[in-house]
Amino acid sequence: MTSRRTLLKGALAVPLAPVAARSPALEALSLPAPTGPYPVGLRTVHLTDPARADPWVGGAREVMLTVLYPAAGVRGCPRATQLTPAEARKFAELAPRIHPGLPSEGTVDWGAVRTHGRIGAPPLPGRRPVLLYSPGGGDCRALGSSLAEDLASHGRTVVLVDHPGDASQVELPTGLRTTVLMGPPDPATFRTMIDTRVADLRLVLDRLPRLLPEASGIGIYGHSAGGTAAVYAAVRASRVKAVANLEGYLDVAAVPDTGRPLLLFRTDGFSAGADRIDSSWRGVPGERAVLRDANHWAFTDYAALVPHLAATGLVTAEARAALVGSGDPTCTIAAVRRRLDRFFARHLP
């Protein structure tokens, strides 16, 4: 049992079960390879904040991280699965409830999806920018793997942050936590979620000097509620030099003009939240971009996974459009990667 007094704990052994021969009833999925010149290493980290109570279950707040980085070499280092075996079993149950339209339990082998991160690979020497990522509400950090791997393959360290309690599922040393969200949160729950995420991100920022002493500059990006949290976490964090908000609302509080580069990136298909995006982004200074023929979850690994499931008949055309849009997934993924890479290359060289 992990001590609640532990402040920083790194776990290099991500559970990685061999991919067994699958039943014909289970659909296998894969993620697109990163495009940068460097292979990608991976490790996981467990943080505990004994000074802060978890708002969902009580006790000291715990956070799980995946650290992706350019590797000096990956020989003999296995590729990590996107989800641990326990997470994959729970995600198969929760997925169609969190995102209606995803396949029912027993049709997709979520545990067989592998990332391109190599467990325990030696990092490339030298200093480099560090990016923190906060996922959307109800999503786990692993669903941001593809974009993060691509950013890391271009010479950055990327830290995926899980937020236990609203993440669909996250395996902690103390056990498996599942989401409290089963549908859009009410205003009070949303505020608690954002406040908790902001505190989680600031915890990671505080620990970065010990966790990643090679950091030459820090940026934050996030999707949906993670984009909201990214903007507010950076408000009083002078160390953060650039922020990218991928379709997150900004109506929790006023967003001051800090002079810090801010990317406001949205899709053209998110009709359910368009009015709130319009009103909450109005007057916020920043670089703006629109992802065409796309919908809200096109900023995540669903951009690759959902079109494949639709092509095999496990997701309807309507559900695909509601989740990621109807655009060519290759073009969508490339557009998101290119925009984020160029934004952070300009402001965190």
Side-chain angles (χ1 to χ4, degrees), residues 3 39-40 79 82 105 114 117 155 226 341-342 349:
S3 170
V40 177
R79 285 170 60 183
Q82 186 182 36
E105 186 176 3
R114 289 190 293 174
D341 178 67
R342 290 177 179 175

Side-chain angles (χ1 to χ4, degrees), residues 7-67:
L7 296 182
L8 177 65
K9 179 178 180 180
L12 300 183
V14 177
L16 181 68
V19 179
R22 64 186 180 92
S23 161
L26 294 180
E27 186 62 33
L29 298 169
S30 61
L31 298 175
T35 61
Y38 303 110
V40 177
L42 177 149
R43 64 188 176 106
T44 59
V45 176
H46 171 234
L47 298 181
T48 302
D49 185 358
R52 182 163 54 106
D54 189 297
W56 311 113
V57 296
R61 179 65 176 169
E62 295 179 88
V63 177
M64 284 300 295
L65 315 175
T66 296
V67 181

Side-chain angles (χ1 to χ4, degrees), residues 61 78 170 231 242 246 257 293:
R61 179 65 176 169
V170 53
V231 172
L246 310 180
D257 183 359
D293 300 319

Side-chain angles (χ1 to χ4, degrees), residues 47-256:
L47 298 181
T48 302
D49 185 358
R52 182 163 54 106
D54 189 297
W56 311 113
V57 296
R61 179 65 176 169
E62 295 179 88
V63 177
M64 284 300 295
L65 315 175
T66 296
V67 181
L68 301 164
Y69 50 89
V74 295
R75 186 173 182 179
C77 300
R79 285 170 60 183
T81 51
Q82 186 182 36
L83 301 170
T84 70
E87 288 171 340
R89 288 191 295 271
K90 180 54 67 172
F91 181 71
E93 172 192 334
L94 293 176
R97 298 163 61 190
I98 296 170
H99 294 304
L102 288 180
S104 59
E105 186 176 3
T107 56
V108 177
D109 193 354
W110 297 108
V113 183
R114 289 190 293 174
T115 73
H116 294 84
R118 300 284 185 151
I119 300 170
L124 196 70
R127 293 174 62 78
R128 53 186 167 268
V130 172
L131 305 178
L132 309 188
Y133 170 72
S134 180
D139 283 344
C140 62
R141 73 191 191 277
L143 286 168
S145 294
S146 179
L147 176 56
E149 288 174 347
D150 196 67
L151 291 166
S153 75
H154 287 276
R156 308 170 181 96
T157 296
V158 184
V159 181
L160 306 179
V161 183
D162 244 331
H163 305 285
D166 76 78
S168 51
Q169 76 293 309
V170 53
E171 187 169 10
L172 297 158
T174 49
L176 188 71
R177 289 275 301 277
T178 56
T179 184
V180 301
L181 303 177
M182 286 299 166
D186 58 62
T189 302
F190 181 77
R191 183 58 187 261
T192 299
M193 182 171 68
I194 298 303
D195 288 347
T196 303
R197 285 164 167 261
V198 168
D200 289 345
L201 291 172
R202 288 178 175 162
L203 170 68
V204 178
L205 288 171
D206 288 343
R207 303 288 174 84
L208 278 184
R210 283 191 294 160
L211 179 64
L212 297 170
E214 74 273 16
S216 64
I218 301 170
I220 309 180
Y221 70 105
H223 170 242
S224 195
T228 305
V231 172
Y232 291 114
V235 168
R236 294 192 302 273
S238 60
R239 292 166 294 171
V240 177
K241 303 303 181 185
V243 182
N245 173 11
L246 310 180
E247 210 155 53
Y249 305 131
L250 295 178
D251 51 9
V252 172
V255 180

